[in-house]
Amino acid sequence: MNARTLGQPLDRVDGPLKVSGQARYAAEHPADDLLHGSVICSVIARGRITAIDDSAALALPGVKLVLSHLNRPPMAQDDESYEDDDAADGSPFRPLFNARIRYSGQPVALVVADTLELARHAGSLVRISYEQQPHATDLREALSEAHAAPAELPKPRGDADGVIAGAPLRLELEYELPCEYHHPMEPHASTVIYQADGSLLVHDKTQGPQNSQRYLADVLKLDPSRVRIKSSFVGGAFGSGLRPQYQLPLAAMAALKLQQSVRVTLTRQQMFTFGYRPRAVQHLQLGADESGRLQGLVHEVIAQTSRFEDFTEHVAEWSGMLYHCDHVRLAYRLAPLDVYTPLDMRAPGAATGLYALESAMDELAWAAGVDPVQLRLTNYAETNQNEGKPYSSKELRACYQQGAEAFGWSKRSPQPRSMREGNQLIGYGMATGVWEAMQMPASARASFTADGRLIVASATCDIGPGTATVMTQIAADVLGMDPSQVEFRLGDSSLPKAPLQGGSFTVSSVGSAVREACLALADKLCEAARQWPEAPFSNGAALRFSAGRVQQGEDASRAVELSALLARHGSLEAEVQAQPGKQRERYASASHSAVFVEVQVDEALGTVRVTRVVSAIAAGRVINPKTARSQILGGVVWGIGMALQEEAMIDHDLGRCMNHNLADYHVPVQADIGDIEVIFVEENDSIINPLGSKGVGEIGIVGVAAAVANAVYHATGKRIRQLPITLDKLL
């Protein structure tokens, strides 16, 4: 491949559509005679519905239906009879399945009317009676009821407990994170267009159109060929669209029952009634020698889950791989509560586990009297000890070096509370980040139009990272074309199979498929040119396609133009499925980062402001540094919010989130953010995939919360081990 397109900061190919308002999102697609649905949610956390009085609502002109468990269409009866690519172990929740209430906020009815305003007003007139049962929503009260998570944790190595007991330096620490919610800009919505033949065309907010298609077909017992899901544009998701959310089956059930198109959009408050990053309590024990070299490590996690599913993440595993330690014991348990099942949320597990590990490593550095960067270099892991494998590539040392230099880490005064500007205490903190570099099977199709435009297609979607742009770059690079002549089609369940967009594996998975499809198309073009009697090629000569022509080697005089080939052969296309390479199996693979943070803490008020961040990232080959930088910026901002602001306030008497709006559930805004510098460390990886790319969606957030917390300690001398770090805790 040439380097004309890859690695260039190409503007987003869909940017003009988005900024001009021409990009249509799930709730913006028109349909004839479209009806609108408004969801009614449970006000109790556990119990059952005893009666539904919808007479006042149905008496209103224009109200078409009050859908509930009493009158819904048929639904799959067997808990295991439908697929969901991101489902947890257990019995998946199905809205309106029966009278049982499993959590506060559970959808219990859908009011459908001519307008959204009428549907919402009618919903306020529906009277639902409940038989309430005792509930439990407080993780702290349920710690003793936790059971082992159905996760494949690495087996203990060595004798961690024994070694820690005899270590010169011993730390025993506890950290806690609250529930956090995704809150993408676009709320979840589904526009179900009921077609004349009874099939459904659905515009859904999802991270996987084919996953939503399978789910809807299975749970409502429909022929998959009669369900088509489109998600051309997605206004952010961060994991909230990995599982089909309840507006999708509700809208589909209403459309099937009424044989009319229906749209259901969740309110911002209802965005608090499904998945979230789970509250977790983490215990760490570290044993080290006087220099801070780890001798033993124990990381135990208890996180909340629902009573009907065991949601698991990779929380503790990172502690067994990020630093070299021969004696490690990891444990992960789940406490079932009367809540909805948690859901993957940007860097699931890693953002949680690394907050605790990297805070603990900072505490170890202070205990040993060692610079935090030096402590991490002292404990640097050359291999992944969890897997017993070397890394396909690892430039973490360069992240430390380049990040520290750009940040000015050497200017740090070691003592807490020793740096100040007026009444502002200044603190420096840092942390390491890591995220697994995965690749999933994926398919893509490449074809030329009659006028020579390249069309590449895959059923992936674009939740905001710039997927359409980088796939355009990959395709253009392979075939030596100008990106303006390439169109990437996505967000449609009818396109070649693709995995969910998540886990930072879209470029490595779908990008590899796009590359292979374009190579296969080039081969077809060369073969077609070879079969042309008038072609000016020597017998058996090597041919290649580039820049709109098939030519013999480097001899531009021996060439056939693409336009001539297409005129002779008509459309040419190739479709392939890309698989992870066998060479990956011998190696561990991961992205790494080093995050450096400066905070200012008002000594009198306890307010914290992050003034500077430097994030140095090693993630293989960066296809588009502009869109990749934006991903890291977003991750850093989210990490700052995780450290200082984000917290779901649960009233455990009601079992309900009380700050269920964006006025009271605090997230960072522009005024909260100081200077952020992103450094992409050069990292060449010929093993990970032919593109050499690892993905950058998650790595930007990992470690940021710990770096902020460590900086706050350096500024104030106070160690806050319960996020978020708010002024009441500091004062």
Side-chain angles (χ1 to χ4, degrees):
M1 293 187 294
N2 59 56
R4 291 181 309 166
T5 308
L6 295 190
Q8 298 303 309
L10 183 70
D11 289 344
R12 289 176 180 261
V13 297
D14 53 3
L17 290 175
K18 289 185 173 181
V19 299
S20 64
Q22 297 178 72
R24 290 190 188 275
Y25 293 83
E28 297 178 331
H29 291 270
D32 293 336
D33 301 320
L34 180 67
L35 300 174
H36 298 264
S38 178
V39 182
I40 301 173
C41 293
S42 166
V43 297
I44 68 168
R46 187 175 177 218
R48 58 186 295 272
I49 299 169
T50 57
I52 298 177
D53 180 0
D54 55 13
S55 57
L58 291 173
L60 294 176
V63 174
K64 305 297 185 183
L65 173 69
V66 177
L67 186 70
S68 70
H69 68 283
L70 299 173
N71 62 346
R72 61 164 172 78
M75 188 181 291
Q77 299 299 309
D78 179 4
D79 284 334
E80 304 302 325
S81 66
Y82 66 88
E83 292 185 41
D84 177 352
D85 278 0
D86 205 58
D89 285 6
S91 303
F93 170 75
R94 286 156 295 173
L96 310 190
F97 186 63
N98 55 28
R100 186 175 179 184
I101 300 299
R102 295 173 175 269
Y103 69 99
S104 179
Q106 174 180 322
V108 293
L110 177 74
V111 181
V112 183
D114 289 337
T115 67
L116 177 59
E117 293 78 9
L118 177 58
R120 287 185 176 172
H121 172 60
S124 70
L125 303 179
V126 176
R127 298 290 174 255
I128 301 179
S129 302
Y130 300 95
E131 177 187 286
Q132 194 165 352
Q133 298 171 346
H135 65 263
T137 56
D138 190 344
L139 175 64
R140 281 284 178 184
E141 296 294 321
L143 294 179
S144 61
E145 301 170 22
H147 60 263
E152 295 183 6
L153 276 177
K155 293 180 180 178
R157 57 179 183 260
D159 177 17
D161 297 282
V163 166
I164 292 170
L169 289 176
R170 297 186 301 277
L171 297 178
E172 187 166 347
L173 307 162
E174 181 182 283
Y175 303 92
E176 183 176 345
L177 284 85
C179 293
E180 300 169 355
Y181 285 83
H182 301 77
H183 284 302
M185 188 75 75
E186 178 197 15
H188 279 268
S190 300
T191 300
V192 179
I193 300 175
Y194 187 87
Q195 307 197 93
D197 62 356
S199 63
L200 302 180
L201 171 62
V202 184
H203 297 280
D204 187 39
K205 181 194 174 79
T206 177
Q207 290 174 247
Q210 291 170 329
N211 187 34
S212 289
Q213 179 196 36
R214 283 192 300 272
Y215 170 86
L216 208 54
D218 289 341
V219 79
L220 296 182
K221 301 195 285 189
L222 305 173
D223 185 335
S225 67
R226 300 178 67 77
V227 179
R228 183 179 179 186
I229 307 286
K230 300 187 77 172
S231 57
S232 305
F233 296 95
V234 182
F238 315 115
S240 67
L242 289 173
R243 298 188 73 169
Q245 300 305 344
Y246 61 75
Q247 89 287 338
L248 174 62
L250 292 185
M253 284 191 282
L256 289 170
K257 192 170 183 69
L258 295 169
Q259 297 187 5
Q260 197 169 336
S261 300
V262 175
R263 172 179 297 152
V264 177
T265 303
L266 300 188
T267 65
R268 183 56 65 179
Q269 288 193 345
Q270 288 168 341
M271 295 291 287
F272 286 83
T273 59
F274 53 89
Y276 50 90
R277 196 191 303 280
R279 185 181 179 189
V281 175
Q282 303 181 70
H283 296 270
L284 278 100
Q285 298 177 58
L286 305 181
D289 64 18
E290 291 85 349
S291 70
R293 188 178 302 276
L294 283 169
Q295 295 179 340
L297 186 152
V298 172
H299 189 169
E300 298 173 301
V301 182
I302 301 180
Q304 74 177 53
T305 190
S306 68
R307 293 203 189 276
F308 48 93
E309 289 179 305
D310 279 345
F311 174 78
T312 60
E313 305 175 291
H314 296 292
V315 184
E317 287 92 324
W318 316 101
S319 292
M321 61 179 275
L322 190 51
Y323 300 107
H324 183 89
C325 187
D326 294 327
H327 301 272
V328 174
R329 179 172 63 81
L330 309 174
Y332 181 21
R333 292 186 292 159
L334 299 174
L337 298 170
D338 298 302
V339 296
Y340 189 69
T341 309
L343 181 58
D344 289 343
M345 181 167 165
R346 197 170 200 164
T352 299
L354 267 294
Y355 160 65
L357 175 64
E358 287 302 287
S359 297
M361 290 297 286
D362 194 69
E363 299 204 42
L364 178 61
W366 288 103
V370 176
D371 180 273
V373 176
Q374 182 55 50
L375 181 89
R376 286 161 174 81
L377 291 170
T378 297
N379 291 287
Y380 195 86
E382 299 292 349
T383 63
N384 182 326
Q385 288 181 280
N386 285 349
E387 300 179 26
K389 295 178 181 179
Y391 284 97
S392 59
S393 61
K394 185 179 180 183
E395 293 293 342
L396 179 55
R397 279 197 178 92
C399 292
Y400 291 138
Q401 186 268 319
Q402 294 180 34
E405 184 176 338
F407 182 80
W409 183 258
S410 61
K411 300 183 178 69
R412 167 182 172 273
S413 170
Q415 282 305 113
R417 297 183 72 89
S418 62
M419 297 169 62
R420 66 171 60 233
E421 292 179 7
N423 64 343
Q424 300 293 315
L425 298 170
I426 308 299
Y428 286 4
M430 61 83 56
T432 309
V434 61
W435 181 255
E436 53 193 330
M438 299 174 283
Q439 181 181 349
M440 304 296 177
S443 300
R445 180 171 61 243
S447 61
F448 279 108
T449 62
D451 62 355
R453 286 182 57 78
L454 175 63
I455 308 296
V456 186
S458 177
T460 187
C461 59
D462 188 345
I463 61 174
T467 303
T469 306
V470 296
M471 298 305 163
T472 298
Q473 289 179 262
I474 293 167
D477 190 87
V478 171
L479 296 179
M481 299 179 65
D482 189 291
S484 65
Q485 292 299 109
V486 180
E487 178 185 348
F488 183 67
R489 295 176 179 171
L490 76 172
D492 188 333
S493 62
S494 67
L495 297 177
K497 187 174 182 179
L500 293 162
Q501 178 164 70
S504 298
F505 53 66
T506 298
V507 170
S508 61
S509 307
V510 180
S512 294
V514 167
R515 175 182 176 274
E516 290 189 24
C518 290
L519 289 173
L521 181 59
D523 288 343
K524 284 193 173 186
L525 290 166
C526 291
E527 186 58 31
R530 192 186 303 279
Q531 302 302 322
W532 197 349
E534 295 84 3
F537 303 135
S538 305
N539 286 336
L543 305 182
R544 67 186 183 90
F545 177 83
S546 182
R549 58 170 54 186
V550 175
Q551 71 181 48
Q552 182 174 316
E554 301 299 322
D555 188 351
S557 66
R558 293 177 176 267
V560 174
E561 295 297 324
L562 174 63
S563 57
L565 279 173
L566 293 174
R568 176 182 173 87
H569 287 273
S571 177
L572 287 168
E573 73 172 37
E575 183 171 330
V576 302
Q577 183 182 62
Q579 300 278 356
K582 288 289 184 184
Q583 71 273 16
R584 285 179 58 113
E585 297 174 3
R586 302 194 303 272
Y587 296 89
S589 53
S591 301
H592 291 89
S593 68
V595 188
F596 296 83
V597 169
E598 177 188 83
V599 300
Q600 291 184 358
V601 183
D602 189 293
E603 192 169 19
L605 300 178
T607 54
V608 181
R609 175 170 169 77
V610 176
T611 47
R612 290 192 301 129
V613 179
V614 173
S615 180
I617 308 289
R621 185 181 203 172
V622 177
I623 304 297
N624 185 321
K626 179 181 287 188
T627 56
R629 177 178 178 271
S630 291
Q631 285 296 290
I632 303 304
L633 290 177
V636 168
V637 170
W638 199 333
I640 292 170
M642 183 178 176
L644 301 178
Q645 295 180 326
E646 282 200 65
E647 180 180 17
M649 300 284 194
I650 310 298
D651 183 323
H652 296 297
D653 289 336
L654 297 173
R656 184 185 314 159
C657 179
M658 303 306 290
N659 58 332
H660 53 321
N661 57 73
L662 291 184
D664 299 314
Y665 182 92
H666 295 158
V667 295
V669 296
Q670 191 73 19
D672 297 317
I673 303 301
D675 182 66
I676 302 174
E677 180 178 353
V678 179
I679 300 169
F680 287 114
V681 173
E682 185 174 347
E683 184 174 62
N684 298 311
D685 196 325
S686 60
I687 295 164
I688 192 91
N689 55 61
L691 295 167
S693 176
K694 294 181 176 180
V696 296
E698 333 287 315
I699 189 64
I701 189 177
V702 182
V704 176
V708 173
N710 296 339
V712 169
Y713 173 75
H714 180 232
T716 65
K718 274 196 168 185
R719 180 70 65 174
I720 308 299
R721 301 188 181 95
Q722 184 181 31
L723 294 185
I725 301 171
T726 47
L727 57 87
D728 56 311
K729 295 170 187 171
L730 279 172
L731 292 176

